[in-house]
Amino acid sequence: MAAGKEYFSRLIEEGQPLPDAFVCVNDNIAAGLLYEAQKRGYNAPRDFAVTGFDHLDKAICFNPQITTVSHKRELMGETCMMIFDKLWKNEPVDARHYVEPEI
């Protein structure tokens, strides 16, 4: 949360214009940003939109709810184990792997 609070504080104190949306790397940063914005009298979604990414319970319980993306930690773990298994067997492994997120 600290990163979101600090970023929003710095943005306002430097007199920067508010963007239409903040796209945060995770829900904790989004929650911190919203918390600091509300302390300063701003309101989402009236003044700007905010999104998170990692689908923590905090996103659902925060008021207003934070739009978030689930990146399926379990599927990521399964994919990692498949990669490790191939490496241990000296089998070829693709350089990139993609886990489909859900909004």
Side-chain angles (χ1 to χ4, degrees):
M1 278 187 56
K5 290 179 189 178
E6 291 174 23
Y7 178 76
F8 194 85
S9 292
R10 190 170 58 238
L11 184 83
I12 297 304
E13 289 165 8
E14 291 177 358
Q16 298 293 322
L18 288 176
D20 292 334
F22 292 93
V23 179
C24 301
V25 70
N26 63 46
D27 295 344
N28 278 326
I29 292 174
L33 190 141
L34 282 171
Y35 176 81
E36 188 63 30
Q38 290 171 345
K39 273 184 25 183
R40 294 172 178 263
Y42 294 93
N43 180 286
R46 182 191 69 214
D47 298 318
F48 50 82
V50 178
T51 66
F53 188 95
D54 62 3
H55 194 60
L56 294 178
D57 291 342
K58 184 179 284 184
I60 296 167
C61 297
F62 203 87
N63 187 10
Q65 287 186 351
I66 298 168
T67 301
T68 188
V69 175
S70 174
H71 61 48
K72 299 183 182 179
R73 290 177 192 89
E74 297 82 7
L75 186 53
M76 290 172 63
E78 289 174 20
T79 302
C80 288
M81 291 309 298
M82 179 212 50
I83 293 168
F84 286 139
D85 187 53
K86 285 184 175 189
L87 289 170
W88 289 322
K89 294 176 181 175
N90 288 322
E91 295 176 3
V93 177
D94 292 336
R96 293 192 174 118
H97 294 81
Y98 185 75
V99 176
E100 189 73 34
E102 289 182 359
I103 296 177

